[in-house]
Amino acid sequence: MSLTASITATAVTAADDSGFHAPGPGSFELPPVFEVAGFGVTKPMLLLVLSAVIVVWFGIATSRNASMVPGRLQYVGESAYGFIRNTIGRDNIGSEHFLKYVPYLFTLFTFILVNNYFGLIPFVQYPTMSRIGFVAPLAVISWLVFIGSGIWKHGALGYLKHATMPSGIKGPILIVLIPLEFFSNILVRPFTLSLRLFGNMFAGHLLLILFATGGAALIVSGNVFYGGVGVLAYVMGIGVSFLELLVMFLQAYVFTLLSAMYIGEALADEH
């Protein structure tokens, strides 16, 4: 068992003795901030709108009044755009078609990144992508984009053949391969995209809540041993927060990278 798991188990066990209840999925269910015509508007909804505003502002602010010698903000914008354009777009989609997909990939990456980092901003502290209802539509959009790209390039039947029939393989083995390829290349991808991002954001934030609330409960328990474990839990929570900085970036990167790879595969001449 890892040190983190050991401390977590000790914290939960000890805190349970003092009446503490470990956080769970219910910790992500927040009451409405206000209602509109009987419809409750929650904090994650507001954060989702705020993230869209931030992404639009970032795009405008970094490209407006662009000059040959870029300022700091323009440099940040151009660096981010260049990273998405070259490292994700061109390398995975190919030089012939990648440019038309860069705006989508750039928006997708920055949108997910902002929503992930909401989880570590003081007084906000809620990674919006820890809600599957917000992640699933993004995966469906990426699915529609790469399916649409494949149909545009090969035609409907041509893309179906392209996605399900590996080139150079003939004979009875295709009876097995075609359903498997259809399942893995067309049906499963939106689910794996959704679950990977959702699972990482949900689990990471749940662990941070546990370290923070469990540590506080242990420190005020009055037991010296429990108090020591509580301080250690806080220290581990700070360490996990730095790790989450990397995980949040990587999850935005992986989601965007896989979307680009799927588009590239759909546009490729061969399976």
Side-chain angles (χ1 to χ4, degrees):
M1 183 180 292
S2 67
L3 178 61
T4 301
S6 300
I7 293 173
T8 302
T10 303
V12 171
T13 303
D16 278 346
D17 294 340
S18 62
F20 171 79
H21 298 287
S27 303
F28 293 80
E29 299 292 337
L30 302 180
V33 178
F34 59 87
E35 292 188 356
V36 177
F39 179 78
V41 178
T42 62
K43 178 180 177 180
M45 295 178 186
L46 294 175
L47 291 178
L48 203 70
V49 174
L50 177 61
S51 66
V53 173
I54 291 174
V55 170
V56 171
W57 169 83
F58 180 75
I60 295 174
T62 55
S63 59
R64 185 177 54 190
N65 301 324
S67 61
M68 290 297 293
V69 181
R72 282 180 292 185
L73 192 59
Q74 182 184 340
Y75 177 78
V76 171
E78 288 181 350
S79 298
Y81 183 84
F83 172 72
I84 301 299
R85 178 183 185 274
N86 300 328
T87 307
I88 296 180
R90 187 176 60 194
D91 289 355
N92 292 283
I93 299 177
S95 57
E96 184 179 359
H97 298 295
F98 81 101
L99 272 179
K100 64 173 69 73
Y101 296 98
V102 172
Y104 171 67
L105 297 175
F106 180 79
T107 305
L108 184 66
F109 175 78
T110 51
F111 183 71
I112 295 174
L113 189 67
V114 170
N115 278 285
N116 287 351
Y117 279 147
F118 277 154
L120 293 177
I121 296 176
F123 305 110
V124 177
Q125 294 175 313
Y126 194 105
T128 321
M129 294 302 155
S130 63
R131 301 300 300 268
I132 189 68
F134 295 148
V135 180
L138 295 179
V140 170
I141 291 172
S142 284
W143 182 77
L144 290 174
V145 169
F146 80 76
I147 292 291
S149 299
I151 293 175
W152 169 76
K153 177 69 181 295
H154 304 284
L157 292 178
Y159 175 66
L160 187 62
K161 178 182 177 182
H162 172 80
T164 58
M165 294 181 66
S167 58
I169 298 180
K170 299 178 181 178
I173 190 65
L174 289 175
I175 297 174
V176 177
L177 280 182
I178 289 176
L180 289 176
E181 292 290 309
F182 181 81
F183 185 73
S184 63
N185 292 337
I186 295 180
L187 293 183
V188 170
R189 285 178 173 178
F191 294 99
T192 55
L193 276 176
S194 300
L195 293 177
R196 183 181 296 105
L197 177 57
F198 160 73
N200 277 279
M201 290 302 99
F202 180 87
H205 196 62
L206 192 64
L207 194 58
L208 290 179
I209 296 174
L210 177 61
F211 279 128
T213 58
L218 291 169
I219 289 173
V220 301
S221 66
N223 183 299
V224 175
F225 174 72
Y226 286 175
V229 175
V231 172
L232 192 55
Y234 262 123
V235 173
M236 292 299 296
I238 294 171
V240 172
S241 296
F242 282 106
L243 180 62
E244 278 294 291
L245 278 172
L246 177 62
V247 171
M248 289 171 173
F249 175 85
L250 287 177
Q251 288 307 313
Y253 173 74
V254 168
F255 193 101
T256 311
L257 177 67
L258 289 175
S259 297
M261 291 175 64
Y262 296 158
I263 294 170
E265 289 178 9
L267 293 173
D269 291 328
E270 292 186 355
H271 179 88

